[in-house]
């Protein structure tokens, strides 16, 4: 049985650098931004370790977007930079990934979640017609909780 999740009820979490507990905040803007543009996406939010905090597949999103949103977020969290920067490095030098690393994917669409310079997680989006559009949606989610990331 598949459960349909509407963008209006989607919540996510942000891990505060100083807190031991996970504080749940509304990051529905990532999905809502893509949905408003007609994109059917999946969104994954990872925490510091990089454990899955929230993983959602929107209405009409292809099945592979669920895995890709996770892998994009994992890449961003692991390297502590936007996944698009990893894509650029791979494009410039394909040997950059000469050694296979599980769950790492060199494509745009994920951004690290930071408190100051401390990376506390990542948000990955997949399903827009282009990783740069996924990254815009991820940024919208981070912007929504920016005041909590200080």
């Amino acid at each position: 049985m598949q459960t349909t999740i509407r963008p209006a009820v989607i919540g996510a979490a942000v891990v505060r650098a100083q807190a031991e507990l996970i504080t749940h905040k509304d990051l529905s803007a990532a999905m809502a931004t893509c949905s408003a543009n007609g994109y059917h996406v999946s969104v994954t939010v990872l925490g510091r370790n990089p454990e899955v905090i929230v993983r959602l597949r929107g209405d009409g999103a292809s099945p592979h977007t669920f895995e890709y949103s996770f892998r994009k977020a994992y890449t961003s969290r692991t390297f502590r930079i936007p996944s698009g920067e990893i894509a650029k490095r791979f494009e410039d030098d394909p040997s950059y990934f000469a050694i296979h690393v599980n769950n790492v994917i060199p494509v745009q669409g994920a951004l690290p979640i930071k408190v100051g310079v401390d990376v506390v997680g990542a948000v990955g989006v997949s399903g827009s017609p282009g990783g740069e559009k996924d990254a815009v949606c991820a940024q919208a989610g981070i912007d929504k909780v920016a005041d909590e990331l200080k």
Side-chain angles (χ1 to χ4, degrees), residues 25-87:
K25 295 293 175 187
D26 181 18
L27 271 177
S28 61
M31 176 100 38
T33 298
C34 278
S35 294
N37 288 311
Y39 309 144
H40 303 286
V41 300
S42 293
V43 178
T44 299
V45 177
L46 300 180
R48 186 182 298 274
N49 289 324
E51 73 283 11
V52 174
I53 304 297
V54 173
R55 197 170 179 196
L56 309 162
R57 183 173 157 244
D59 292 340
S62 296
H64 70 276
T65 63
F66 196 64
E67 178 184 350
Y68 272 29
S69 69
F70 168 76
R71 292 179 66 191
K72 289 177 180 187
Y74 186 86
T75 301
S76 181
R77 172 60 196 98
T78 300
F79 291 95
R80 297 181 168 101
I81 59 176
S83 63
E85 289 185 32
I86 296 299

Side-chain angles (χ1 to χ4, degrees), residues 116-132:
V117 296
D118 189 21
V119 176
V120 297
V123 58
V125 178
S126 180
S128 299
E132 69 284 351

